[in-house]
Amino acid sequence: RGRQPKPGSVWFGEGIVDGVLFPLLALAAATVVRWVFVAYAPQVPQAVFRLVVPVLLSLAVIRLTVRVLRKTYPESAVMRVVERSVSWVAWLAVVLWLTGVLPLLLKELEQIQWHFGSTKISVRNVLEGAVASVVVLVLALWLSSAFEARLIRGAGAHIGVRKMAANAVRALLLFIGLMFALSAAGIDLT
């Protein structure tokens, strides 16, 4: 049968261009070119960059989320639904941003507030906290998945102990990621 194909990495994917690295490099290149045009050729219209940067950013977020979830939970049907949902939300956010509706929507969501003691919380804060939480937890899953793969690689007879250690590290990283996400959302735990 030959060698079994290795599953794609988060950075490179199955091929070279379907991982996270390609949209991040394209985003970095577009940002550098935009800065060069602003600095040395301000008369050049910036319309293309207003379109390219949000599209590449959403592509990077989608690829990161999908690659990490596939690597962490390869056989989960629920994760397929989450992947599609992240994709739809990211592309909807790009469309709303490009049409100019998203800034108006965020301004209106800032006006809807609740008071908890001396703290004001708006719907925008809750949404930004949820997005920050998802990003931080996806990054924590990525780190824990990479650590688990490295730990189990040379396991041999001690695979049970190494798997338990990998699960403990995953739980610890998710807890630390949750604490960072709550902090980013503005929730003070002291």
Side-chain angles (χ1 to χ4, degrees):
R1 286 177 17 173
R3 281 182 40 195
Q4 295 294 325
K6 289 174 63 175
S9 70
V10 174
W11 284 110
F12 296 107
E14 301 298 328
I16 297 293
V17 296
D18 60 342
V20 177
L21 189 62
F22 178 71
L24 286 179
L25 288 176
L27 180 63
T31 305
V32 168
V33 169
R34 181 180 184 185
W35 288 337
V36 167
F37 277 150
V38 166
Y40 297 110
Q43 69 277 10
V44 175
Q46 303 292 316
V48 171
F49 296 111
R50 289 190 195 110
L51 175 70
V52 168
V53 170
V55 168
L56 289 174
L57 184 62
S58 68
L59 187 59
V61 167
I62 291 168
R63 293 259 177 100
L64 176 67
T65 306
V66 167
R67 285 283 162 206
V68 169
L69 290 178
R70 280 190 186 164
K71 194 163 186 77
T72 308
Y73 305 107
E75 301 298 323
S76 177
V78 174
M79 288 304 129
R80 302 287 185 244
V81 174
V82 171
E83 291 170 3
R84 277 190 232 109
S85 300
V86 166
S87 174
W88 277 99
V89 167
W91 290 123
L92 180 65
V94 167
V95 168
L96 290 175
W97 178 264
L98 291 175
T99 58
V101 174
L102 189 61
L104 297 173
L105 184 63
L106 290 176
K107 187 185 288 186
E108 290 300 318
L109 290 176
E110 184 70 34
Q111 301 301 321
I112 304 171
Q113 296 180 346
W114 295 283
H115 294 278
F116 291 109
S118 63
T119 306
K120 290 181 183 178
I121 296 177
S122 68
V123 175
R124 180 179 179 169
N125 292 6
V126 171
L127 290 176
E128 288 173 351
V131 169
S133 299
V134 167
V135 169
V136 168
L137 291 176
V138 164
L139 292 175
L141 277 173
W142 185 10
L143 284 174
S144 68
S145 176
F147 184 76
E148 179 182 7
R150 209 170 267 263
L151 190 61
I152 291 180
R153 187 176 303 147
H158 303 289
I159 188 130
V161 174
R162 289 187 181 208
K163 185 66 176 165
M164 284 186 347
N167 287 339
V169 168
R170 176 173 285 168
L172 178 67
L173 284 173
L174 285 174
F175 177 74
I176 292 170
L178 181 63
M179 292 299 115
F180 276 116
L182 290 174
S183 174
I187 298 173
D188 188 20
L189 298 174
T190 57

